[in-house]
Amino acid sequence: MSRELEREVAVRAVLKACRLCRNVQSEHMSRQKVNKTDGSPVTVADFGGQALVSHHLSMAFPADPLMGEESSDQLLRRENGALKESVIQHVRRIVPELDEEEILAAIDRGNASGGPSGRFWVLDPVDGTKGFLRGAQYAVALALVEDGEVTLGVLGCPNLPLVLDNPGGHPGQGCLFFAAKGEGAFMRPLDEEREQRITVSLEERPSGALFAESFESEHSSHKDSARLAKMLGVTREPLRMDGQGKYGLVARGEATIYLRVPVGKEYAENIWDHAAGAVIVEEAGGKVTDLDGLRLDFSRGKKLEKNRGILASNGRLHDTVLEALEGLPGQKE
Ligand code: AMP
Ligand code: MG
């Protein structure tokens, strides 16, 4: 089934949210030392991005539910009046005709809880919050899930260059990845409609692998991935960055492995942190499972309840990494 309309709408929605994020991030970076009175910039970008994506999707697909992280409750509290004003002002810079009521309603459309049947959209308006606050990498991540399968994914990465030479981020550049099931994976500059097909790395030697992982060691154990890399004979330092741009690096062949090793036993991943990235890597010819080799199960509501950690790879090295993981202390109960 062609998802041309869905793809076009999703790309436009993500581009609007990326513009808002850039505006908020540049404002934040230019007054970092000033005491903030209007709530944290990431909150402005989260609410604003969700409003824009939700509104844009609702125009094209009014019946489609959306699962987003935010609801307007927090904005409506008396003490958050300045935050609300800031969200409204930023949204209106991009879509001037929206009034306050419409903006709040758009945010609250994002209340779907997912599940195994029907179709719904899933959004992380600012994935990689900590990177966003550091002025580094983050992503706007939007995916379509149909009967428990991710069928479309779009990742807007406003600070990620088309070719990686500095994972720390180059403000002013930006890259957008997208894929629809069965139709391949693509990237384009954020600001130009110039798309190119992307494919994963052909690397077959474990020692030639290049790992991508979270910048934050509380999100994925750096110690375990370093041990694993050593077991495989990998010599290159891992690429560390925030947000789902890591999936993009694997999809376009710059990294060979994106590993996410849980730090605590209890953490279940949010589906909005992986849906878009996973389909992009698969459509680029790679493979995505959890650390036990199980397919990611997006049919369980908001969390990947049945999965433990994440392994996204170029495919060729997937089983080798899974086998090596079995030898990693603390991985098996
Ligand atoms: P990353 O930038 O890849 O580290 O991922 C950012 C995402 O990590 C956020 O959107 C959070 O939902 C998620 N996250 C928060 N706490 C944890 C945790 N303890 N383990 C794994 N992921 C987490
Ligand atoms: Mg996230």
Side-chain angles (χ1 to χ4, degrees), residues 11 14-15 22 38 47 73 112 174 180 203 207 240 256 273 278:
V11 166
V14 168
L15 287 172
R22 273 183 166 171
D38 60 348
F47 286 117
D73 309 355
E203 185 59 66
S207 62
R240 289 190 177 143
T256 27
D273 285 331

Side-chain angles (χ1 to χ4, degrees), residues 69 124-129 139 141 243-244 260 270 272-274:
E69 250 182 308
D124 192 342
V126 183
D127 177 34
T129 304
Q244 282 171 72
R260 199 171 181 92
N270 297 312
W272 53 79
D273 285 331
H274 302 287

